Amino acid sequence: MQRNGPDRRAWETPRAAGLAGVVFALLLAATIVLLRLGIPEGADAADAEGFTDPTRREAVRAALALIPFAGIFFLWFLGAVRAHVGDAEDRFLATVLLGSGLVFTAILFGAAASATAVLAVAHPAGSAPSLATWDFGRHFAYTLLTDYAMRMAAVFVSSMSVIGTRMGVLPRWLSAVGAVTALVLLFVSSNVPWAELVFPAWSLLLSVHIMLAGGRRRRVTPA
């Protein structure tokens, strides 16, 4: 009886990792879409005037409300994935994986705070923010998101793909998708709008694979 408890928890870890990853992927994708629609990256003075539209402001507020939960679920996803890999993981790559994941979360929260500043600037209710404030807040938020957070995400994806390949816990096709995802996040996301959506897409693929693999292991586990 004492042995069944730890074994059961070990088999439940992949399902927990997959569920947390799915929720994180959906929340991050929704956040990116809402921010892109609410605060266009290539906006000008006319867009600053249009930001008085309640629909755009509510889209940004909804995105900012989702980011803390996306960060929380990502931390659970990160911890559960490391538990799924096990004690045999490479310490160097595991450190890079953990560090990049934590830095990504911190920068994501920083981008949310800068986007909040666009909403909280001192101007009369119902009027547009000043062009200087609009430009600073918008550029700062997108720089944090696309230049820094997504490059930390690239390090996270690449280190996870290498760990998965070395230990054989990821199929070759998923490792190849991870390599392409890392390259896109590293070199493309800062220049091509919407390219950052490849990170939640990869996270969703990894999460589904972990859930399916965990289900197969549970079916073959002796009673």
Side-chain angles (χ1 to χ4, degrees), residues 7-185:
D7 288 344
R8 181 177 181 180
R9 287 194 297 269
W11 291 122
E12 291 296 327
T13 297
R15 185 167 62 181
L19 181 60
V22 168
V23 176
F24 159 71
L26 296 178
L27 288 176
L28 182 60
T31 297
I32 293 172
V33 170
L34 290 172
L35 282 178
R36 286 284 183 185
L37 295 177
I39 307 179
E41 186 174 5
D44 53 15
D47 287 283
E49 293 291 336
F51 194 64
T52 56
D53 181 6
T55 302
R56 290 178 59 179
R57 296 177 70 90
E58 288 304 317
V60 175
R61 287 194 177 94
L64 297 177
L66 293 177
I67 285 180
F69 298 99
I72 291 170
F73 277 101
F74 178 75
L75 292 177
W76 278 99
F77 176 54
L78 172 60
V81 165
R82 292 196 64 203
H84 172 59
V85 172
D87 296 333
E89 65 181 359
D90 183 283
R91 289 188 178 182
F92 171 76
L93 290 173
T95 302
V96 175
L97 179 75
L98 177 62
S100 60
L102 295 178
V103 175
F104 165 78
T105 305
I107 298 176
L108 184 66
F109 287 169
S114 61
T116 302
V118 178
L119 294 176
V121 289
H123 61 276
S127 64
S130 66
L131 185 57
T133 302
W134 168 260
D135 280 338
F136 174 78
R138 175 173 51 84
H139 284 299
F140 189 52
Y142 275 113
T143 297
L144 285 175
L145 178 64
T146 61
D147 287 4
Y148 294 96
M150 289 302 114
R151 283 178 174 139
M152 284 297 99
V155 177
F156 177 84
V157 173
S158 59
S159 57
M160 182 61 206
S161 298
V162 174
I163 290 174
T165 301
R166 286 188 177 182
M167 297 191 59
V169 296
L170 294 181
R172 291 185 178 273
W173 69 266
L174 187 53
S175 297
V177 171
V180 174
T181 300
L183 291 175
V184 171
L185 293 173

